[in-house]
């Protein structure tokens, strides 16, 4: 394969903008092309959740021309790209390696299919509707399981469907509680509890649940539904990568044969191991 046979970065931007329109991103987000020359040929594409130094190194060593990530590298302003900071080292590594970076974040969340469709599929949902709306775009999904099951059985099924992460799946609710209607929102979702309650969901699958919002949500539920499952930010969003690669290949049509797409297997969850703390009921004097 020669450079002349490969699509240009501009061609790939057009494909990605079509699949994940930048205008559908939330107002605070930073998506689209971060580095790269639109005229450069693209023969190998690398996909990952986070543009970490390790991911950039992996893509560079694999000979990638384009790195597509879900999370932005430069969400907030920086005033230096010196290699003395991780952000600066990342930008420098991209430029030196002639590696383009493209971000599809909240515009990939709201795409159909997108991040939340992948999570809904992992949760066993066949038909879904939007959970809520933000900035004129849908937020999360809600749907019904084919058959009811216990909260514990559902959590175990979900854990098997997700990529393994050290912290695993955290669950709040009665293990024998009935679950049929499920709300999902990939990534951080503790600002959508009102929408979850309005949806009639028995359980809410999301990540990054902070102590106070989660505790207040369980207090409002009086011990019943909606139960909560914190399945991890990286784990809930990494499910999107393979589907995105497949859709990029399909959108390229006849040009797909000249491009190699690779989904990163690097775990960019920031946690490395978990130390069990014993039985909370015994340590704290009984259940709440």
């Amino acid at each position: 394969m020669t450079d002349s046979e490969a699509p240009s970065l501009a061609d790939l931007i057009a494909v990605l903008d079509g699949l994940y329109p930048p205008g559908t991103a939330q107002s605070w987000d930073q998506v689209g092309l971060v580095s790269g020359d639109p005229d450069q040929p693209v023969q190998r594409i690398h996909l990952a959740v986070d543009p970490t130094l390790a991911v950039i190194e992996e893509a560079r060593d694999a000979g990638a021309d384009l790195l597509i990530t879900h999370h932005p590298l430069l969400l907030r302003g920086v005033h230096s790209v010196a290699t003395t900071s991780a952000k600066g080292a990342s930008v420098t590594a991209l430029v030196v390696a002639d590696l383009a970076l493209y971000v599809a974040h909240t515009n990939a969340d709201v795409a159909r299919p997108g991040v939340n469709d992948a999570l809904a599929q992992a949760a066993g949902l066949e038909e879904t509707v939007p959970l809520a709306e933000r900035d004129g775009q849908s937020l999360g999904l809600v749907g019904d399981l084919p058959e009811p099951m216990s909260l514990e059985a559902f959590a175990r099924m979900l854990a098997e469907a997700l990529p393994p992460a050290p912290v695993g799946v955290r669950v709040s609710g009665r293990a024998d509680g009935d679950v049929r209607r499920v709300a999902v929102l990939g990534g951080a979702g503790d600002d959508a509890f009102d929408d979850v309650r309005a949806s009639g969901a028995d359980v809410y699958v999301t990540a990054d649940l902070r102590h106070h919002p989660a505790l207040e949500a369980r207090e409002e539920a009086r011990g019943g539904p909606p139960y909560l499952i914190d399945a991890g930010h990286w784990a809930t969003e990494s499910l999107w990568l393979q589907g995105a690669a497949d859709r990029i290949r399909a959108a390229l049509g006849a040009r797909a044969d000249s491009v190699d797409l690779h989904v990163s297997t690097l775990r960019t969850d920031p946690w490395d191991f978990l130390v069990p703390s014993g039985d909370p009921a015994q340590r704290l004097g009984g259940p709440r």
Side-chain angles (χ1 to χ4, degrees):
M1 177 176 59
T2 64
D3 285 355
S4 62
E5 295 173 331
S8 67
L9 178 57
D11 294 329
L12 265 301
I13 293 171
V15 166
L16 291 163
D17 284 355
L19 293 171
Y20 310 108
T24 62
Q26 293 188 26
S27 57
W28 51 264
D29 205 2
Q30 300 294 333
V31 300
L33 188 65
V34 178
S35 68
D37 179 354
D39 292 331
Q40 71 185 76
V42 175
Q43 296 179 320
R44 184 175 176 87
I45 301 173
H46 209 70
L47 294 96
V49 174
D50 298 288
T52 63
L53 286 164
V55 165
I56 292 170
E57 181 180 4
E58 180 188 54
R60 181 200 65 198
D61 292 349
D65 305 297
L66 171 61
L67 172 61
I68 300 170
T69 64
H70 181 51
H71 291 143
L73 174 63
L74 303 173
L75 183 59
R76 297 174 179 85
V78 297
H79 304 288
S80 170
V81 292
T83 58
T84 50
S85 72
K87 295 291 185 186
S90 299
V91 172
T92 299
L94 290 167
V95 173
V96 170
D98 201 20
L99 176 59
L101 173 62
Y102 183 97
V103 173
H105 191 206
T106 53
N107 48 331
D109 290 334
V110 303
R112 301 301 306 268
V115 171
N116 290 305
D117 293 277
L119 180 56
Q121 183 177 7
L125 306 181
E126 297 175 353
E127 296 184 7
T128 58
V129 296
L131 172 65
E133 184 176 296
R134 298 286 190 278
D135 288 349
Q137 301 295 331
S138 61
L139 179 77
L141 296 170
V142 62
D144 295 330
L145 296 168
E147 299 290 338
M149 62 176 64
S150 71
L151 176 61
E152 181 178 9
F154 174 76
R156 292 187 181 279
M157 177 193 74
L158 180 67
E160 287 295 318
L162 292 171
V167 177
V169 172
R170 300 190 298 170
V171 185
S172 181
R174 293 178 15 245
D176 62 350
D178 290 330
V179 169
R180 180 68 183 267
R181 191 158 182 80
V182 181
V184 300
L185 197 161
D190 64 13
D191 62 346
F193 286 131
D194 287 343
D195 303 298
V196 172
R197 284 188 284 268
S199 75
D202 300 309
V203 61
Y204 179 36
V205 179
T206 187
D208 291 357
L209 292 179
R210 295 170 293 168
H211 175 86
H212 294 294
L215 184 60
E216 289 172 4
R218 296 302 297 134
E219 289 282 281
E220 290 295 334
R222 304 297 198 277
Y227 306 120
L228 304 179
I229 293 183
D230 187 324
H233 200 127
W234 170 80
T236 57
E237 295 187 328
S238 63
L239 297 167
W240 164 74
L241 297 174
Q242 186 58 57
D246 294 341
R247 283 184 282 279
I248 292 167
R249 184 176 297 281
L252 284 170
R255 296 176 297 175
D257 291 339
S258 63
V259 178
D260 181 21
L261 287 99
H262 175 75
V263 173
S264 175
T265 58
L266 282 177
R267 174 178 56 82
T268 53
D269 188 304
W271 307 109
D272 292 312
F273 62 92
L274 178 67
V275 178
S277 58
D279 184 351
Q282 293 178 3
R283 292 170 64 92
L284 301 179
R288 285 190 286 113

